[in-house]
Amino acid sequence: MALLCGSTSVRSQDLSVVPLDERWMFEESEVNGPDIWNKTWYPKAADHVNTDKPWYIVDATDKILGRLASTIAIHIRGKNLATYTPSVDMGAFVIVVNADKVAVSGKKRTQKLYRRHSGRPGGMKVETFAQLQQRIPERIIEHAVRGMLPKGRLGRKLFNHLKVYKGSDHPHEAQKPTELPIRDKRIQMTR
Amino acid sequence: MNKDKIFKLAKGFRGRAKNCIRIARERVEKALQYSYRDRRNKKRDMRSLWIQRINAGTRLHGVNYGNFMHGLMKENIQLNRKVLSEISMHEPHSFKALVDISRTAFPGNKSSVVLLEKKAFQLFYEW
């Protein structure tokens, strides 16, 4: 993604009127503008405002769960952008619709187990993919994507950029989401 | 080092580590060890960040980092990864030109796999 920095010469005052023997008083960055070639670029606050980030929408019908979650996580984290920075949230927002129709290959529908523990002894709760899809279908995609995002403060903030919905409508029409570009050829479940 | 120097280095530390000399001394020693180690780690981390950024930039043009660098090495373009990552962010058209140069120099593994399969197929039929 190209940065919109046209002129990099930000001058606080016109240095051409300064006599030569007093030019030492001014810093390199004031004279020639910020040094973009020797210092690795780090995003400023204006480079990652949430209101300017793109919104993507993807239909989960008959898509393989893991492959879909992987592409979503890459876009949420911002790893597809040339301006990727690990410590800053540069990624986009992703909306997933028809989350109840996501597919898995093999016998995972009845054999993949989702476990959670309440913290008390003997409090392990186990359910299969099919049961969880019956109960709370959004949690399947959320669980998959959360496992692929970094774990930490930033990762938890990134997770909030994922919006999963059961049916095919979503309340984000105002953000004008575009189609999520998927490059994986094996993501569509073929019967 | 005397106490004043230790407390000067312990500014911003958590809890008693900034106030009490026994704890501050330990934490400051550890902090100095970490900074020694991390001056060396920073060079590695920066290079890794440049490579990740170049990878993302080239994948936008359909080429991955490995093939891109191989093509550049073949053409003897000696731009380092720091500069390449800055070009990919600030000068997208120049970067596309570099990707095209790399692609003509090294088109990638896919074509060579297809060629090998064709050769094997031909040999099979010559029997």
Side-chain angles (χ1 to χ4, degrees), chain B residues 12 20 30 47 54 72 96 99 114 124 127:
Chain B
C20 306
K30 207 52 185 289
R47 183 169 160 131
I54 296 171
L72 288 189
K96 181 159 200 310
V99 171
V114 167
F124 181 69
W127 267 80

Side-chain angles (χ1 to χ4, degrees), chain A residues 87-102:
Chain A
S87 57
V88 164
D89 173 13
M90 304 288 291
F93 288 77
V94 176
I95 306 170
V96 182
V97 290
N98 287 325
D100 44 341
K101 300 191 184 65
V102 73

Side-chain angles (χ1 to χ4, degrees), chain B residues 2-33:
Chain B
N2 66 16
K3 288 190 193 171
D4 291 329
K5 281 194 184 165
I6 302 258
F7 283 130
K8 190 151 178 282
L9 288 170
K11 282 194 193 291
F13 284 14
R14 198 178 205 207
R16 282 190 281 165
K18 62 183 180 299
N19 294 326
C20 306
I21 187 60
R22 288 182 177 185
I23 300 166
R25 180 166 278 135
E26 290 175 12
R27 293 286 102 219
V28 163
E29 279 173 11
K30 207 52 185 289
L32 292 172
Q33 286 169 15

Side-chain angles (χ1 to χ4, degrees), chain A residues 36 40-41 81 84-85 183, chain B residues 50 52-53 56 59 86 89:
Chain A
I36 60 166
T40 303
W41 180 79
L81 303 172
Y84 165 68
T85 315
R183 305 190 58 171
Chain B
W50 300 328
Q52 289 175 38
R53 283 183 173 167
R59 277 169 201 259
E86 296 295 317
M89 286 191 284

Side-chain angles (χ1 to χ4, degrees), chain B residues 114-127:
Chain B
V114 167
L115 285 167
L116 280 171
E117 282 180 350
K118 267 193 181 169
K119 277 193 178 165
F121 205 58
Q122 284 168 0
L123 285 169
F124 181 69
Y125 267 100
E126 274 166 46
W127 267 80

Side-chain angles (χ1 to χ4, degrees), chain B residues 33-107:
Chain B
Q33 286 169 15
Y34 283 145
S35 76
Y36 179 86
R37 177 201 70 179
D38 289 332
R39 278 192 293 275
R40 284 133 183 81
N41 280 356
K42 184 157 69 160
K43 299 160 180 48
R44 308 179 207 166
D45 294 337
M46 281 285 135
R47 183 169 160 131
S48 154
L49 175 64
W50 300 328
I51 292 177
Q52 289 175 38
R53 283 183 173 167
I54 296 171
N55 207 347
T58 59
R59 277 169 201 259
L60 288 171
H61 296 117
V63 165
N64 59 0
Y65 170 80
N67 293 347
F68 174 65
M69 292 314 269
H70 189 46
L72 288 189
M73 294 302 141
K74 271 195 158 182
E75 289 287 312
N76 196 20
I77 294 177
Q78 290 173 348
L79 291 170
N80 60 10
R81 283 140 183 88
K82 173 166 79 175
V83 156
L84 282 172
S85 71
E86 296 295 317
I87 294 177
S88 81
M89 286 191 284
H90 296 118
E91 313 277 336
H93 300 291
S94 317
F95 193 68
K96 181 159 200 310
L98 279 168
V99 171
D100 292 332
I101 293 174
S102 169
R103 219 198 307 247
T104 49
F106 183 69

